[in-house]
């Protein structure tokens, strides 16, 4: 694996520069591979950072330093060549060892841990990570606008878990507020128990729309809504019972959508859990002298650096009721007490950046130093998400459309074979395509939704990723019984095979980069590039007609490593059993 080579190069540098090996391990990077480009260099050391931290003299000609240090580093049995570039030193490793060390975990049956034991991860925070994501409003059908929070949060939770953290997956439901007063009052007039059983969320949606329309011109409806919400706040049994019924129905319906996405939660929280705690927060703010009264009679906290009230956050309405941020403060404190997390991550759209900046600042002002380990991961908007019937409102419509379009593409292809369950294949590939399209770019960027581009079988798409995976599974199945561990790595010398191995050297760096900035694009683009290299290998490294020892090595051993690396990476990306489609499905999608 890459860590073996980094360590060997670091030992060489440590002896030459009289510094600890650990200084050089994170400074050595695997060189990115580009299509159809033969590359002899495997690792690179940039001298700039070594000058900044004082390992090398910060003054003088950096190129002369580079050439001098490169000349002192002699090749050996692991590092075959050392050369000076522009301010960098390049290292080429022994090709036999490259194959042997990278494929070693698979021969030992440790393929699932490939890349996860890297020393690069030693600097990462470990412990308990609480991730809050998805967070739709109850008593409504799952809106498509919550898709990004759901899949991004799921990716972050999967990544943290894969890197050894204990992860708590929390869904913080929007289950409180005046809208539930309107829904409760509306249900008493327009609700139907039979319709609620048949199509719960659709019926609640219809009731809410009716009640809202009625309240526009009917004061009695407005008063009934206020009265129902008062009953809720005062914990009157009738109102609470109906509200609980709405909440339980919603969670049950949402779980069906989450199952389709391969998403699960450990905790279903909500604003309603923190009503009493919000009052305790207000008392504590008063005790500390932090709660001020504005000219409008609202309760505010002064966040201005000079204490001149130029930057305030309102946490209490003039009528004495709390706001969303008040309940968020209470929720954060409660989570720390209950779950003892080491870090907490909120995943919402970028319009809430200021809200979370204020939240973390208030917690710190109150004396909660752990708020420094809280983080908001913002994301941009999806533009132009439409189905054939018009603008998208509900997520189920998006998932159904992805399945229908993928099934249509499969039926139109001459390569499609009969499948036992084509709808299931179309569902898995379609949703995979949806997720990959979302993850390819920076999270904070808005992007334009494009059904046709998303479902293309060629290019950087989830369909191409799944197709490549299925072909690898097919190859493995056809070679059942062949011993993985008995191969001669010296036979693995074709440039196409070497490129794949060189690309795999970067895997732990890609995970490390994603762990730091929590962006899925690094892993997704790594996998897509890997798919292109594999596609070239399918053409250039034929098994048929090759001697058995040669065919077994490049076409089987490398494929085992690639397939298992990809299977684990992609399953952790979407977290769904069965998302890596079987060999039987390898010919199920059009490939040009």
């Amino acid at each position: 694996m890459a860590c073996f080579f980094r360590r060997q190069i670091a030992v060489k540098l440590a002896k030459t520069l009289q510094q600890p090996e650990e200084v050089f391990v994170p400074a050595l990077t695997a060189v990115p591979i580009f299509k159809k480009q033969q590359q002899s260099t495997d690792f690179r050391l940039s001298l700039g950072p070594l000058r900044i931290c004082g390992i090398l003299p910060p003054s003088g000609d950096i190129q002369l330093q580079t050439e001098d240090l490169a000349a002192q580093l002699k090749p050996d049995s692991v590092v075959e060549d050392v050369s000076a570039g522009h301010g960098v030193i390049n290292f080429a490793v022994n090709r036999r060892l490259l194959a042997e060390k990278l494929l070693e975990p698979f021969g030992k049956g440790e393929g699932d841990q490939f890349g996860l034991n890297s020393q690069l991860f030693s600097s990462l925070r470990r412990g308990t990570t609480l991730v809050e994501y998805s967070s739709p409003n109850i008593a409504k059908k799952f809106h498509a606008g919550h898709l990004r929070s759901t899949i991004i949060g799921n990716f972050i939770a999967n990544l943290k878990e894969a890197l050894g953290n204990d992860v708590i997956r929390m869904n913080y439901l929007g289950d409180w507020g005046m809208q539930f007063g309107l829904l409760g009052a509306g249900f008493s007039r327009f609700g139907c128990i039979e319709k609620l059983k048949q199509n719960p969320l659709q019926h609640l949606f219809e009731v809410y729309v009716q009640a809202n329309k009625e309240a526009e011109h009917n004061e009695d409806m407005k008063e009934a809504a206020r009265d129902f919400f008062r009953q809720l706040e005062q914990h009157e049994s009738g109102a609470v019972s109906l509200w609980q019924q709405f909440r339980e129905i919603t969670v049950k319906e949402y779980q069906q959508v989450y199952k389709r996405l391969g998403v699960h939660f450990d905790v279903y929280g909500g604003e309603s859990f923190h009503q009493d705690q919000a009052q305790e927060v207000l008392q504590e703010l008063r005790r500390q002298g932090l709660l001020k009264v504005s000219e409008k009679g609202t309760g505010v906290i002064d966040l201005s650096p000079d204490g001149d009230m130029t930057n305030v956050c309102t946490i209490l309405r003039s009528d004495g009721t709390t706001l969303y941020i008040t309940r968020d403060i209470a929720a954060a404190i409660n989570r720390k007490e209950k779950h003892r997390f080491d870090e907490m991550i909120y995943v919402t759209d970028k319009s809430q950046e200021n809200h979370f900046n204020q939240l973390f600042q208030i917690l710190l002002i109150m004396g909660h130093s752990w708020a420094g380990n809280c983080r908001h991961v913002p994301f941009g908007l999806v533009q132009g998400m439409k189905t054939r019937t018009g603008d998208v409102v509900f997520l189920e419509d998006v998932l159904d459309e992805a399945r229908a379009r993928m099934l249509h593409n499969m039926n139109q292809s001459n390569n499609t074979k009969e499948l036992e369950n084509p709808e299931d294949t179309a569902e898995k590939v379609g949703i995979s395509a949806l997720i990959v399209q979302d993850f390819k770019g920076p999270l904070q960027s808005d992007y334009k939704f494009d059904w046709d581009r998303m479902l293309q079988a060629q290019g950087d798409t989830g369909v191409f990723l799944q197709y490549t995976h299925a072909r690898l599974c097919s190859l493995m199945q056809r070679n059942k019984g062949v011993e993985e561990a008995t191969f001669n790595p010296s036979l693995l010398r074709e440039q196409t095979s070497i490129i794949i191995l060189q690309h795999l050297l970067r895997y732990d760096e890609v995970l490390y980069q994603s762990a730091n900035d929590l962006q899925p694009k690094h892993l997704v683009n790594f996998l897509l590039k890997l798919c292109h290299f594999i596609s070239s290998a399918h053409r250039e490294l034929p098994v048929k007609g090759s001697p058995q020892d040669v065919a077994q090595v490049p076409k089987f051993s490398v494929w085992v490593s690639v397939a298992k690396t990809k299977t684990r990476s992609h399953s952790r990306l979407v977290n769904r059993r069965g998302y890596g489609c079987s060999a039987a499905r390898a010919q199920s999608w059009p490939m040009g």
Side-chain angles (χ1 to χ4, degrees):
M1 290 185 288
C3 54
F4 168 81
F5 297 106
R6 278 199 203 90
R7 174 59 65 182
Q8 294 301 311
I9 298 170
V11 168
K12 191 183 290 288
L13 288 162
K15 287 179 180 177
T16 303
L17 295 174
Q18 297 297 298
Q19 295 285 338
E21 296 170 19
E22 286 68 26
V23 171
F24 302 104
V25 170
L28 289 160
T29 59
V31 179
I33 307 299
F34 300 98
K35 288 182 184 179
K36 298 180 181 179
Q37 179 180 322
Q38 188 166 341
Q39 186 169 288
S40 58
T41 300
D42 302 305
F43 289 92
R44 182 174 289 160
L45 175 73
S46 176
L47 266 66
L50 300 185
R51 284 160 59 103
I52 292 170
C53 65
I55 294 174
L56 291 175
S59 59
D61 189 319
I62 189 172
Q63 192 57 33
L64 288 176
Q65 283 183 330
T66 303
E67 292 170 3
D68 179 59
L69 180 56
Q72 296 179 61
L73 300 169
K74 305 301 181 184
D76 56 28
S77 60
V78 176
V79 180
E80 289 189 334
D81 184 66
V82 182
S83 61
H86 295 293
V88 298
I89 297 177
N90 300 312
F91 302 89
V93 302
N94 179 285
R95 289 292 173 257
R96 179 189 175 96
L97 271 178
L98 177 65
E100 186 179 304
K101 291 298 179 181
L102 274 176
L103 301 180
E104 190 175 58
F106 303 100
K108 294 179 177 179
E110 299 171 356
D112 286 345
Q113 292 300 306
F114 183 83
L116 293 178
N117 297 318
S118 172
Q119 287 177 300
L120 293 180
F121 305 140
S122 61
S123 62
L124 296 177
R125 180 186 289 118
R126 299 296 174 91
T128 300
T129 300
L130 191 152
V131 188
E132 180 201 297
Y133 58 106
S134 192
S135 305
N137 298 315
I138 72 162
K140 293 181 180 179
K141 292 190 76 173
F142 203 131
H143 194 279
H146 291 281
L147 172 64
R148 294 206 79 188
S149 175
T150 303
I151 59 177
I152 293 167
N154 193 53
F155 165 80
I156 292 170
N158 292 342
L159 178 65
K160 289 287 185 179
E161 194 168 71
L163 294 176
N165 292 53
D166 294 321
V167 176
I168 300 166
R169 302 160 187 262
M170 177 173 283
N171 197 339
Y172 187 63
L173 299 170
D175 63 355
W176 203 252
M178 187 55 72
Q179 69 268 32
F180 296 105
L182 195 60
L183 182 64
F187 193 80
S188 65
R189 297 194 187 186
F190 310 117
C192 171
I193 296 297
E194 206 55 46
K195 288 183 179 179
L196 189 65
K197 290 177 181 177
Q198 292 171 1
N199 196 343
L201 293 188
Q202 182 61 36
H203 182 54
L204 290 178
F205 175 71
E206 290 166 355
V207 167
Y208 182 79
V209 170
Q210 270 187 289
N212 199 42
K213 189 175 181 181
E214 182 77 12
E216 288 177 3
H217 56 79
N218 188 332
E219 279 299 322
D220 289 343
M221 176 56 79
K222 288 181 183 177
E223 184 53 40
R226 285 191 288 267
D227 184 58
F228 186 89
F229 190 58
R230 273 195 298 270
Q231 292 176 44
L232 266 184
E233 288 190 309
Q234 292 164 11
H235 307 296
E236 293 190 15
S237 59
V240 170
S241 176
L242 187 60
W243 171 84
Q244 284 179 333
Q245 187 179 1
F246 293 161
R247 194 180 193 280
E248 288 167 6
I249 285 170
T250 304
V251 170
K252 187 176 179 181
E253 291 290 309
Y254 284 175
Q255 284 174 337
Q256 299 305 310
V257 179
Y258 290 134
K259 186 177 181 181
R260 293 179 70 179
L261 289 169
V263 173
H264 72 279
F265 293 95
D266 302 307
V267 181
Y268 281 89
E271 290 182 73
S272 61
F273 288 74
H274 306 291
Q275 296 307 303
D276 295 337
Q277 293 159 11
Q279 296 302 318
E280 294 171 11
V281 165
L282 292 172
Q283 289 175 16
E284 179 60 22
L285 288 167
R286 289 190 184 99
R287 189 188 68 78
Q288 294 188 32
L290 296 172
L291 186 60
K292 314 288 184 182
V293 179
S294 72
E295 293 178 356
K296 297 178 181 178
T298 57
V300 299
I301 297 175
D302 183 12
L303 300 178
S304 57
D306 299 324
D308 56 8
M309 300 288 282
T310 54
N311 178 22
V312 299
C313 176
T314 304
I315 65 164
L316 194 64
R317 294 189 182 93
S318 57
D319 64 1
T321 56
T322 59
L323 286 90
Y324 187 79
I325 192 164
T326 326
R327 297 187 286 276
D328 258 2
I329 297 167
I333 295 170
N334 175 260
R335 292 172 191 177
K336 181 63 178 177
E337 292 172 352
K338 186 175 182 180
H339 300 291
R340 299 292 175 185
F341 60 77
D342 296 289
E343 65 175 340
M344 179 161 59
I345 299 167
Y346 297 84
V347 184
T348 73
D349 72 83
K350 59 187 179 184
S351 69
Q352 296 193 48
E353 278 189 283
N354 186 56
H355 169 85
F356 286 103
N357 287 336
Q358 291 182 329
L359 171 63
F360 303 152
Q361 199 173 347
I362 291 169
L363 288 167
L364 287 170
I365 290 171
M366 292 178 70
H368 300 295
S369 59
W370 49 262
N373 295 327
C374 294
R375 183 172 179 180
H376 174 226
V377 177
F379 55 82
L381 302 177
V382 182
Q383 300 165 340
M385 186 182 277
K386 296 181 180 181
T387 63
R388 290 187 176 93
T389 57
D391 290 342
V392 167
V393 177
F394 304 125
L395 181 56
E396 278 184 292
D397 296 335
V398 180
L399 303 186
D400 290 346
E401 183 88 2
R403 179 180 59 204
R405 285 177 181 256
M406 194 64 234
L407 189 60
H408 173 77
N409 289 0
M410 289 162 54
N411 290 334
Q412 293 298 306
S413 171
N414 295 327
N415 297 326
T416 301
K417 296 182 178 180
E418 276 194 37
L419 295 171
E420 185 177 327
N421 192 342
E423 288 82 7
D424 183 58
T425 298
E427 164 107 345
K428 290 171 180 174
V429 179
I431 292 177
S432 176
L434 190 70
I435 292 171
V436 168
Q437 176 177 249
D438 195 282
F439 283 3
K440 284 196 300 181
L443 291 184
Q444 280 196 269
S445 297
D446 300 340
Y447 75 89
K448 190 172 182 180
F449 191 85
D450 188 324
W451 281 112
D452 294 332
R453 187 173 65 222
M454 181 186 89
L455 295 173
Q456 284 177 356
Q458 294 177 322
D460 292 342
T461 66
V463 181
F464 178 50
L465 185 70
Q466 288 284 13
Y467 178 83
T468 306
H469 177 264
R471 289 191 72 183
L472 290 169
C473 288
S474 176
L475 184 65
M476 292 170 72
Q477 286 187 9
R478 290 201 301 270
N479 285 274
K480 275 184 178 177
V482 178
E483 280 293 328
E484 296 177 35
T486 57
F487 72 93
N488 181 359
S490 66
L491 293 173
L492 207 156
R493 54 181 176 262
E494 294 92 346
Q495 186 58 31
T496 305
S497 297
I498 298 299
I499 283 174
I500 291 175
L501 293 172
Q502 287 176 313
H503 186 61
L504 290 176
L505 282 174
R506 295 192 61 241
Y507 183 60
D508 60 347
E509 292 179 25
V510 168
L511 289 179
Y512 180 74
Q513 199 172 3
S514 288
N516 276 303
D517 64 13
L518 303 182
Q519 296 271 338
K521 64 178 181 177
H522 310 301
L523 181 57
V524 169
N525 290 315
F526 172 88
L527 291 172
L528 290 169
K529 185 181 279 190
L530 182 58
C531 287
H532 287 291
F533 292 147
I534 291 167
S535 184
S536 297
H538 276 302
R539 294 190 302 270
E540 297 169 20
L541 300 178
V543 173
K544 191 174 182 180
S546 299
Q548 184 175 354
D549 58 346
V550 175
Q552 178 182 331
V553 173
K555 202 68 176 183
F556 185 68
S557 298
V558 175
W559 290 167
V560 168
S561 67
V562 170
K564 288 187 177 178
T565 300
K566 284 177 76 297
T567 301
R568 188 190 66 251
S569 300
H570 192 241
S571 66
R572 282 178 175 160
L573 184 68
V574 298
N575 194 31
R576 173 171 178 133
R577 287 192 181 95
Y579 254 94
C581 295
S582 69
R585 295 171 177 145
Q587 302 299 324
S588 299
W589 314 301
M591 292 300 292

